[in-house]
């Protein structure tokens, strides 16, 4: 009988029993059940580690919670670490033995090894409940003043999770947490700003009193990651304090002109767009800088630029006022992206920036892409959405647009066939001059023996056989013919 099988050996065994994994794991669980009753804590620790691995495969380990607590109580770091790992993964608010961990946390918070204390903080952040929080909060406050920066940083990050589970604890800890904004260690300072950022996402009004300190940090820091976090905080606070955007003009201008980090530059632009009033010199500078991201060879930066331009155009103050040279061409190039998310953003942006002068060229491009891409519906949907906008405000030549609709109608499996049929009948009702051409076009769709044209005006030939038109369009064509 093989006891004390290591985690590595168990994993190799699982891989070796391909197709018979459940049977092998069942055998392992039987061995583990015997190992967790061993008086040897090294054996018990390895059993708990194996259980933690199996729990990630979906196996229940709630029956071994007391063994986990026993392993956590050992003095040796190497033995107690699997216990803390398993505790983090398996304990929750309904775990009966959860309260037994409080004294273990208190003991390890006072350990001479900062890594043992850090391990306890990481575990606490995962399993904290209001009951545990009330008993351990004073210990966490004491650790905020620890002489070791590693522990101060871990404590600040842990407190955020504590606040989520026990909101009243925030009021108690706020003064001490605020003091960490003056910490000399960059890691602690960044962790503190990050914690306040996440708290501000939930209720930014509570943190307006921190503006002077955060402004001072933003002006003096050279840490890129910290600058990004501060810019995100100010994006949340500016709408709540009318004087704040004016105060930020100088530091934002300096950041935009001096930073060499593209991540900081982009976040600065986003902060400007979201917080500064339209028409200011800073907003103009930010949009100019944003254009450079559209020319980047990095597709991620191009995506971020497109997304931010979309956000800008959604703002009422920028609508119909934003003029960006070559934006239309850049967006048309972006719809060829293989990344579906980037392509979707580009299509949404194209829908907003198209004008009557560029509409024909845009539709021709989208139709080309729709015929070479599977599925084509996202391109076709954009065409139909643009065409129908404001009662066909973009359409100058209705005969040409009817030809586009006919071309789309020939796709039998199009998800937009109903929309095509609706637009065909709507245009004929609204535009009397186009009715004779619409009837001819409808006949060519219904009778495949007649020649038809494509959207370029070229003869597309004659097709023998049955109808090759989407079903909803057949009814619209029959109605047009009368």
């Amino acid at each position: 009988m093989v006891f004390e099988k290591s985690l590595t050996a168990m994993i190799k065994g699982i891989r070796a029993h391909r197709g018979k994994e459940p049977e092998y794991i069942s055998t392992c669980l039987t061995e583990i059940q015997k190992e967790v009753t061993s008086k040897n804590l090294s054996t018990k620790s390895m059993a708990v580690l194996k259980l933690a691995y199996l729990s990630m495969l979906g196996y229940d380990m709630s029956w071994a919670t007391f063994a986990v607590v026993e392993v956590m109580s050992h003095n040796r770091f190497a033995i107690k670490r699997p216990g803390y790992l398993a505790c983090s993964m398996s304990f929750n608010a309904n775990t009966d033995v959860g309260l037994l961990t409080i004294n273990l946390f208190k003991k390890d918070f006072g350990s001479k090894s900062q890594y043992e204390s850090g391990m306890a903080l990481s575990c606490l952040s995962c399993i904290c409940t209001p009951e545990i929080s009330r008993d351990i909060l004073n210990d966490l406050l004491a650790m905020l003043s620890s002489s070791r920066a590693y522990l101060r940083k871990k404590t600040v990050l842990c407190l955020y999770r504590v606040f989520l589970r026990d909101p009243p604890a925030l009021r108690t800890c706020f003064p001490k947490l605020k003091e960490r904004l003056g910490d000399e260690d960059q890691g602690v300072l960044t962790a503190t700003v990050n914690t306040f950022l996440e708290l501000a996402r939930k209720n930014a009004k509570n943190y307006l009193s921190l503006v002077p300190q955060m402004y001072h940090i933003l002006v003096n820091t050279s840490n890129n990651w910290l600058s990004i976090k501060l810019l995100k905080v100010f994006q949340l606070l500016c709408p709540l304090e009318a004087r704040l955007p004016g105060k930020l003009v100088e530091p934002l201008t300096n950041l935009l002109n001096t930073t060499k980090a593209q991540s900081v530059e982009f976040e600065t632009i986003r902060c400007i767009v979201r917080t500064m009033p339209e028409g200011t010199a800073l907003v103009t500078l930010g949009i100019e800088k944003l254009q450079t991201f559209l020319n980047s060879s990095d597709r991620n930066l191009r995506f971020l630029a497109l997304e931010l331009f979309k956000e800008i155009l959604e703002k009422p103050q920028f609508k119909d006022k934003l003029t960006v040279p070559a934006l239309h061409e850049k967006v048309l190039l972006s719809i060829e992206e293989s990344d579906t998310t980037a392509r979707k953003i580009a299509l949404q942006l194209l829908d907003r920036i198209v004008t009557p002068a560029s509409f024909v060229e845009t539709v021709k491009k989208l139709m080309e892409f729709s015929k070479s891409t599977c599925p084509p519906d996202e391109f076709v949907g954009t065409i139909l959405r643009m065409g129908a906008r404001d009662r066909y405000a973009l359409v100058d030549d209705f005969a040409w647009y009817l030809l586009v609709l006919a071309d789309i109608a020939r796709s039998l499996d199009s998800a937009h066939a109903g929309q095509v049929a609706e637009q065909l009948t709507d245009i004929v009702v609204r535009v009397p001059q186009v009715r004779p051409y619409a009837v001819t076009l409808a006949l060519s769709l219904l009778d495949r023996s007649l020649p038809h044209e494509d959207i370029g005006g070229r003869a597309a030939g004659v097709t023998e056989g049955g109808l090759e038109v989407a079903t909803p369009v057949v009814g619209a064509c029959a109605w047009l013919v009368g």
Side-chain angles (χ1 to χ4, degrees):
M1 188 163 53
V2 181
F3 289 138
E4 300 186 40
K5 183 187 295 176
S6 70
L7 175 62
T8 304
M10 186 182 76
I11 294 173
K12 287 181 178 178
I14 292 173
R15 292 175 178 174
H17 289 75
R18 183 170 297 177
K20 298 181 180 179
E21 291 93 339
E23 293 85 349
Y24 180 78
I25 291 174
S26 177
T27 303
C28 292
L29 283 170
T30 303
E31 294 176 3
I32 291 170
Q33 287 173 349
K34 295 177 180 178
E35 291 171 5
V36 295
T37 62
S38 170
K39 293 181 180 180
N40 185 329
L41 276 177
S42 295
T43 301
K44 188 174 292 190
S45 176
M46 181 55 68
V48 166
L49 183 60
K50 289 187 286 186
L51 272 177
Y53 178 82
L54 293 177
S55 73
M56 293 190 290
L57 300 181
Y59 290 87
D60 178 44
M61 64 170 292
S62 59
W63 54 271
T65 52
F66 191 78
V68 170
V69 174
E70 282 186 290
V71 172
M72 291 170 65
S73 67
H74 200 276
N75 292 326
R76 285 181 57 195
F77 180 77
I79 290 179
K80 69 166 60 183
R81 184 164 59 173
Y84 272 106
L85 172 64
C87 179
S88 300
M89 294 170 60
S90 62
F91 282 29
N92 55 47
N94 299 318
T95 303
D96 295 334
V97 298
L99 294 176
L100 297 179
T101 61
I102 294 174
N103 286 331
L104 299 179
F105 288 138
K106 287 176 175 287
K107 183 186 77 170
D108 285 334
F109 286 163
S111 171
K112 292 180 180 179
S113 169
Q114 64 178 3
Y115 300 111
E116 285 191 8
S117 302
M119 181 173 63
L121 286 167
S122 297
C123 181
L124 173 63
S125 68
C126 295
I127 71 163
C128 185
T129 63
E131 294 78 14
I132 294 176
S133 170
R134 284 192 288 270
D135 285 336
I136 216 160
L137 199 58
N138 289 333
D139 299 85
L140 294 175
L141 286 173
M143 292 180 72
L144 279 176
S145 303
S146 170
S147 60
R148 292 176 283 191
Y150 174 82
L151 291 183
R152 297 199 301 275
K153 179 177 68 175
K154 296 280 283 190
T155 304
V156 167
L157 296 173
C158 176
L159 279 171
Y160 171 68
R161 301 295 294 271
V162 172
F163 298 152
L164 292 182
R165 309 287 173 81
D166 184 24
L170 175 57
R171 190 178 296 275
T172 304
C173 297
F174 186 80
K176 279 277 191 180
L177 194 59
K178 184 179 177 181
E179 289 177 9
R180 292 303 101 212
L181 287 174
D183 202 293
E184 295 179 356
D185 184 84
Q186 285 291 299
V188 178
L189 182 56
T190 304
T192 306
V193 170
N194 191 61
T195 296
F196 278 124
L197 168 61
E198 296 305 320
L199 292 170
R201 292 187 197 277
K202 300 184 180 300
N203 188 359
K205 189 176 181 180
N206 290 343
Y207 307 97
L208 281 171
S209 62
L210 302 177
V211 167
Q213 284 175 277
M214 291 197 173
Y215 180 87
H216 176 77
I217 298 169
L218 179 64
V219 170
N220 293 285
T221 187
S222 59
N223 184 318
N224 291 337
W225 184 248
L226 182 57
S227 297
I228 290 171
K229 293 297 180 182
L230 287 165
L231 289 168
K232 289 180 182 291
V233 172
F234 283 121
Q235 289 171 41
L236 298 171
L237 297 180
C238 278
L240 305 176
E241 174 52 70
R243 296 169 294 178
L244 188 52
K247 293 286 186 182
L248 289 174
V249 170
E250 184 178 348
L252 291 179
T253 304
N254 290 338
L255 269 177
L256 208 54
N257 289 325
T258 60
T259 185
K260 294 181 181 179
Q262 289 185 311
S263 55
V264 177
E265 183 181 1
F266 179 80
E267 198 59 48
T268 305
I269 296 169
R270 182 152 56 185
C271 183
I272 290 169
V273 167
R274 290 179 176 177
T275 61
M276 296 295 156
E278 184 267 334
T280 60
L282 184 56
V283 171
T284 303
L285 177 62
I287 292 175
E288 287 177 4
K289 294 278 188 179
L290 184 58
Q291 291 178 54
T292 62
F293 285 84
L294 288 175
N295 300 319
S296 173
S297 59
D298 186 336
R299 66 173 59 186
N300 294 317
L301 293 178
R302 294 200 302 272
F303 169 77
L304 289 172
L306 289 170
E307 193 173 44
L308 190 52
F309 269 120
K310 176 176 172 287
E311 183 179 327
I312 292 170
L313 289 169
E314 287 174 348
K315 293 178 176 289
Q317 63 266 35
F318 289 106
K319 191 176 182 181
D320 302 324
K321 296 180 182 179
L322 181 67
T323 55
V324 180
L327 178 59
H328 185 265
E329 290 77 7
K330 294 295 181 185
V331 174
L332 278 177
L333 289 174
S334 297
I335 64 176
E336 299 182 63
E337 292 277 5
S338 56
D339 182 356
T340 55
T341 307
R343 190 165 64 238
K344 183 178 179 181
I345 292 291
L347 286 170
Q348 291 172 351
L349 184 55
L350 186 65
D351 190 8
R352 296 179 184 279
I353 65 174
V354 70
T355 63
S358 62
F359 181 61
V360 173
E361 179 195 351
T362 301
V363 170
K364 288 180 179 178
K365 282 279 188 184
L366 291 177
M367 287 299 291
E368 287 176 17
F369 293 139
S370 70
K371 291 174 181 178
S372 61
T373 307
C374 185
D377 285 330
E378 56 184 347
F379 298 107
V380 171
T382 302
I383 293 171
L384 296 174
R385 193 165 53 249
M386 290 190 300
R389 187 200 305 165
D390 298 330
R391 297 181 180 179
Y392 309 99
L394 295 173
V395 181
D396 289 332
D397 184 349
F398 281 95
W400 170 82
Y401 188 63
L402 285 175
L403 201 57
V404 172
L405 295 178
D407 205 5
I408 296 172
R410 292 188 178 95
S411 176
L412 296 177
D413 57 348
S414 174
H416 300 284
Q419 199 174 346
V420 171
E422 183 181 335
Q423 289 193 20
L424 277 171
T425 54
D426 191 35
I427 289 173
V428 170
V429 170
R430 291 178 183 276
V431 189
Q433 298 88 341
V434 84
R435 289 172 186 170
Y437 181 74
V439 171
T440 304
L441 193 61
L443 284 170
S444 72
L445 288 173
L446 293 174
D447 188 351
R448 299 297 289 170
S449 65
L450 296 176
H452 58 275
E453 297 177 353
D454 63 13
I455 62 172
R458 297 179 298 272
V462 175
T463 303
E464 299 292 342
L467 292 175
E468 292 187 10
V469 181
T471 304
V473 182
V474 174
C477 290
W479 180 84
L480 290 176
V481 173

